[in-house]
Amino acid sequence: MTSIDDVAAHLGVSTATVSRALRGLPGVAEETRARVNSTAKELGYVPSSSASGLASGRTMAMGVLVPVIDRWYFSAVLEGVDRQLRAAGYDLILFSLGGDGVNRDRVFHRSILRKRIDALLVMSMHLTEEERKAVQQLEYPNIVVGGAVEGVRHVGIDDAKAARDAVEHLIGLGHTRIAHMRGGGSFDIDFQVPRIRQQAFQQVMEDHGLPVREDWSAFGDFRFTTSRVSALALLADPANRPTAVFCSSDEMAFGVLKAAAELGIDVPGELSVIGIDDHEFSEPMGLTTIRQDPEDQGAYAAELLLGELLRNEPADYPPPRPHLLVERHSTGPARG
Amino acid sequence: MTSIDDVAAHLGVSTATVSRALRGLPGVAEETRARVNSTAKELGYVPSSSASGLASGRTMAMGVLVPVIDRWYFSAVLEGVDRQLRAAGYDLILFSLGGDGVNRDRVFHRSILRKRIDALLVMSMHLTEEERKAVQQLEYPNIVVGGAVEGVRHVGIDDAKAARDAVEHLIGLGHTRIAHMRGGGSFDIDFQVPRIRQQAFQQVMEDHGLPVREDWSAFGDFRFTTSRVSALALLADPANRPTAVFCSSDEMAFGVLKAAAELGIDVPGELSVIGIDDHEFSEPMGLTTIRQDPEDQGAYAAELLLGELLRNEPADYPPPRPHLLVERHSTGPARG
DNA sequence: TTGAAAGCGCTAACAA
DNA sequence: TTGTTAGCGCTTTCAA
């Protein structure tokens, strides 16, 4: 492999000059810079990130920790993060916990702490006490995207307000018999989000003097499949069913929509359904929802970290990212 | 930061011994190894990947190049790759082209070639001539997952056979009026897959003496939204519509299903729909499809690369990964 | 079984 | 504007 020395020798200049020229540092004659650039290209020179990392202390890589990759929210955030990093010349090192917690120890001890990255972005997940301490003690900038983690900076929407807006949309339509399709369960271990949305639901209902029925709190696990099965039970009895369902995520709303279709329940005539997310499928499904933009959240968080790396001073605590009610065809006025 | 020297000094041994002990190399007294391990932990020692990379020439990281992250197939493959790498103590460096081609140059020149990785996994995408050469000339092991790229090793299902199986399922049910919801278009630039599936469709139809109607070749762009709109047009005229639609992907099949529901067309009574993928939503949607397992494909490819890295000799050319017809409720016998 | 020592390929003072 | 030089923190011979 051609090294910086080869380039220097080839031109009869010092390695320092080559290094400066290639990195665009000032104090290099334009003519020299041009010659260095063309020679480097000609020789097929590629700098070694190990060597420059070792010498400079900067790895030019950011770590991103996710609970799983192949879920709508996480992969969209990743997309936004990647975009920013790429533009800044940073590499993205992905650490997935892959659903189960088996990898956790390895991830935290082997890799993340392996001095391979300049900053860490953690995607909404529950961390153990030990892990949280590990993150807080990191000597490099870090931030959480999605659900908040105590004691760590955080980028995301105002989850309580988003849930509130969704439920109040339903109430504004005249609904009083409102069910909740909630996440949680196994995922409760990993996220704050389901809890926050559920509490917000109960609070709004209470604020409006509406009953929160135990048997109308259905468990959807944030998934289409689970939600559909739960909704099939929830909506089975025509005499005793809600007229609206607030879903903590769009994927769960799809499950409710599917169940309604199977049961021959007209949406929005007999049943209103609202979600949170604005998933890629929500528009063609005609789902009314609270839109959030995960890609924007990822980009914003990455940008913030990058800024800190550049200026070497902590950035302001970021305000919540915006959310927006998008009315489509799955919600309508309550009957009667 | 504590370095290997700190650990060595603390114990009164040499850095070489610490290095050997920590990496589990032979030739270290068990008692010494134990002392090194506990001291390292006690001091919170974490090896620098830059330093070890520079000294050993191995980065312990694998690059994964994807056209976009937030699509079902790609994120699932990523999940599988990550699982293998994590288990082997390797890090995963993600390079996304983010849909557009703006990043391409940066990715190929700055990062991938930046001597940061020991191997490269390319996810199905079209490479320019120059890019393909760059990949082929890489001095490290590489492989493509998904659509084949000429001259590069490849892991994936037999796409032609998968498409054929889907169409023959329809034909076996007595259908003769079969439409095709195809990908391609803007994506044609990036994938071989849509083309292969389309050619297979035409070939099977021909083999069975069935007509391929130009106006029944609908463009779905591999997406729910686009497919739904196309299907609305395709199915509009009751007197002149297909009795079955072969969709090159499940997401497009969802679009057809949605269009059928909007038009009041009974599935599978009046219309059979089959896809390829077995997307997470296909089971709850009752979609008949050809299952492939992208996570398995990713894991398999990563495993193969890891094996080469370990044994330092090229592995065999991998056979196609399996696919499977999964019959659910969206296909049925042709009427009459 | 252990240690000494020479790099790996860069960056960043400091000098010129 | 350019060069000299001393590391960065490991791994890996070679010797003991």
Side-chain angles (χ1 to χ4, degrees):
Chain A
M1 277 324 310
T2 60
S3 76
I4 198 171
D5 295 290
D6 299 324
V7 179
H10 208 264
L11 282 164
V13 300
S14 71
T15 61
T17 298
V18 174
S19 175
R20 282 190 284 251
L22 255 21
R23 285 183 297 151
L25 294 186
V28 178
E30 273 318 311
E31 195 248 324
T32 311
R33 193 188 300 280
R35 283 171 55 223
V36 169
N37 281 325
S38 80
T39 306
K41 172 165 283 184
E42 183 190 325
L43 298 183
Y45 168 67
V46 177
S48 152
S49 63
S50 296
S52 81
L54 182 57
S56 70
R58 281 170 270 103
T59 64
M60 294 299 279
M62 190 179 290
V64 179
L65 185 56
V66 299
V68 290
I69 303 165
D70 61 353
R71 312 241 61 211
W72 175 79
Y73 181 80
F74 299 118
S75 56
V77 173
L78 263 180
E79 200 75 79
V81 172
D82 182 90
R83 180 156 43 80
Q84 292 302 314
L85 295 190
R86 199 62 57 217
Y90 268 71
D91 285 329
L92 155 26
I93 304 202
L94 183 61
F95 303 102
S96 170
L97 261 22
D100 57 31
V102 180
N103 284 321
R104 299 188 81 115
D105 190 69
R106 208 181 324 249
V107 164
F108 268 87
H109 292 89
R110 265 221 192 191
S111 306
I112 295 204
L113 303 173
R114 204 159 180 263
K115 315 196 77 203
R116 194 190 257 292
I117 55 183
D118 294 336
L120 177 68
L121 195 152
V122 179
M123 223 98 101
S124 64
M125 50 194 302
H126 179 78
L127 302 177
T128 66
E129 193 59 31
E130 191 202 2
E131 288 166 348
R132 216 180 51 213
K133 274 191 192 139
V135 171
Q136 287 173 335
Q137 286 173 3
L138 290 175
E139 70 279 23
Y140 41 71
N142 54 79
I143 199 164
V144 167
V145 176
V149 168
E150 206 186 324
V152 186
R153 219 165 16 160
H154 167 245
V155 164
I157 59 170
D158 182 337
D159 271 295
K161 185 63 167 56
R164 173 173 286 270
D165 288 354
V167 180
E168 288 188 333
H169 171 67
L170 260 16
I171 294 173
L173 252 15
H175 293 278
T176 56
R177 301 167 60 82
I178 305 176
H180 181 207
M181 183 60 73
R182 50 172 236 278
S186 64
F187 267 128
D188 236 351
I189 310 167
D190 279 343
F191 304 111
Q192 294 280 1
V193 177
R195 194 174 14 252
I196 296 175
R197 293 185 186 171
Q198 176 166 19
Q199 283 168 354
F201 168 72
Q202 292 175 349
Q203 190 59 54
V204 190
M205 292 295 276
E206 206 175 282
D207 291 351
H208 289 263
L210 296 174
V212 174
R213 284 176 53 168
E214 189 69 37
D215 56 331
W216 283 358
S217 176
F219 173 59
D221 201 27
F222 275 136
R223 291 169 183 278
F224 187 156
T225 313
T226 315
S227 165
R228 169 179 161 272
V229 173
S230 284
L232 246 14
L234 176 72
L235 304 174
D237 179 7
N240 187 31
R241 72 159 82 112
T243 65
V245 184
F246 158 58
C247 304
S248 280
S249 80
D250 280 6
E251 293 194 25
M252 291 194 290
F254 301 151
V256 176
L257 254 20
K258 182 68 167 67
E262 288 178 44
L263 295 169
I265 299 170
D266 181 57
V267 173
E270 298 173 276
L271 185 74
S272 284
V273 180
I274 190 170
I276 293 183
D277 276 346
D278 201 23
H279 185 284
E280 177 189 1
F281 291 178
S282 301
E283 188 270 325
M285 288 296 290
L287 179 71
T288 295
T289 190
I290 303 289
R291 171 182 298 162
Q292 69 166 325
D293 186 345
E295 204 171 318
D296 157 81
Q297 292 168 37
Y300 182 82
E303 186 63 37
L304 203 142
L305 253 20
L306 250 12
E308 290 194 345
L309 251 19
L310 205 66
R311 290 187 305 282
N312 206 19
E313 60 175 37
D316 290 342
Y317 199 94
R321 303 304 293 167
H323 65 262
L324 177 73
L325 173 67
V326 180
E327 287 191 60
R328 288 197 271 244
H329 320 300
S330 66
T331 52
R335 277 213 174 154
Chain B
M1 279 321 309
T2 59
S3 74
I4 199 172
D5 296 288
D6 299 323
V7 179
H10 207 264
L11 281 164
V13 300
S14 72
T15 62
T17 299
V18 175
S19 175
R20 283 190 283 250
L22 256 21
R23 285 182 297 150
L25 295 186
V28 178
E30 272 319 310
E31 194 247 324
T32 310
R33 191 187 302 277
R35 282 170 56 223
V36 170
N37 280 324
S38 79
T39 304
K41 172 166 284 183
E42 183 191 324
L43 299 182
Y45 167 67
V46 177
S48 152
S49 62
S50 296
S52 80
L54 182 56
S56 71
R58 280 170 270 105
T59 64
M60 294 300 279
M62 190 180 290
V64 179
L65 183 56
V66 300
V68 291
I69 303 165
D70 62 352
R71 313 240 62 209
W72 175 79
Y73 182 80
F74 299 118
S75 56
V77 173
L78 263 181
E79 201 76 78
V81 172
D82 181 90
R83 180 156 42 79
Q84 291 302 314
L85 295 190
R86 199 62 57 215
Y90 268 71
D91 285 329
L92 155 26
I93 303 200
L94 183 61
F95 303 102
S96 170
L97 262 21
D100 56 30
V102 180
N103 283 321
R104 299 188 80 116
D105 191 68
R106 206 178 329 247
V107 164
F108 269 87
H109 292 90
R110 265 219 193 192
S111 305
I112 295 205
L113 303 173
R114 205 160 179 260
K115 314 190 79 199
R116 194 190 256 292
I117 56 183
D118 293 337
L120 178 68
L121 195 152
V122 179
M123 224 98 100
S124 64
M125 50 194 301
H126 179 79
L127 302 176
T128 66
E129 192 60 30
E130 192 201 1
E131 289 165 346
R132 215 178 55 211
K133 274 192 192 139
V135 170
Q136 287 174 335
Q137 286 173 2
L138 290 175
E139 71 279 22
Y140 42 70
N142 55 78
I143 199 165
V144 166
V145 176
V149 168
E150 206 185 326
V152 186
R153 220 163 17 156
H154 167 247
V155 165
I157 58 171
D158 181 337
D159 271 294
K161 185 62 167 55
R164 173 172 286 270
D165 287 354
V167 179
E168 288 188 334
H169 170 68
L170 260 16
I171 294 173
L173 252 16
H175 293 278
T176 56
R177 300 167 60 82
I178 306 176
H180 181 207
M181 182 62 73
R182 51 171 237 277
S186 64
F187 266 128
D188 237 352
I189 310 167
D190 280 344
F191 304 108
Q192 294 279 0
V193 176
R195 194 173 14 250
I196 295 175
R197 293 184 185 172
Q198 175 165 19
Q199 283 168 352
F201 168 71
Q202 293 176 347
Q203 190 59 53
V204 189
M205 293 295 277
E206 204 174 284
D207 290 352
H208 289 262
L210 296 174
V212 174
R213 283 176 53 165
E214 188 70 37
D215 56 331
W216 283 359
S217 176
F219 173 58
D221 201 27
F222 273 137
R223 290 170 183 276
F224 187 156
T225 313
T226 314
S227 165
R228 170 180 159 271
V229 174
S230 284
L232 246 15
L234 176 71
L235 304 174
D237 179 7
N240 186 32
R241 74 160 81 111
T243 65
V245 184
F246 159 58
C247 303
S248 280
S249 81
D250 279 8
E251 293 194 25
M252 291 195 289
F254 300 151
V256 176
L257 254 21
K258 182 69 167 70
E262 288 178 45
L263 295 170
I265 299 170
D266 181 55
V267 173
E270 297 172 276
L271 184 74
S272 284
V273 179
I274 190 169
I276 293 183
D277 275 348
D278 201 22
H279 185 283
E280 177 189 0
F281 290 178
S282 300
E283 187 271 324
M285 288 296 291
L287 179 69
T288 295
T289 190
I290 302 290
R291 171 182 296 161
Q292 69 166 325
D293 186 344
E295 204 172 319
D296 157 81
Q297 291 168 38
Y300 183 83
E303 187 62 39
L304 202 141
L305 252 20
L306 249 13
E308 289 194 345
L309 251 19
L310 205 66
R311 290 187 304 281
N312 206 19
E313 58 175 38
D316 290 341
Y317 200 92
R321 303 305 292 167
H323 64 262
L324 178 72
L325 172 68
V326 179
E327 286 192 60
R328 288 198 272 245
H329 320 299
S330 67
T331 50
R335 276 214 173 152

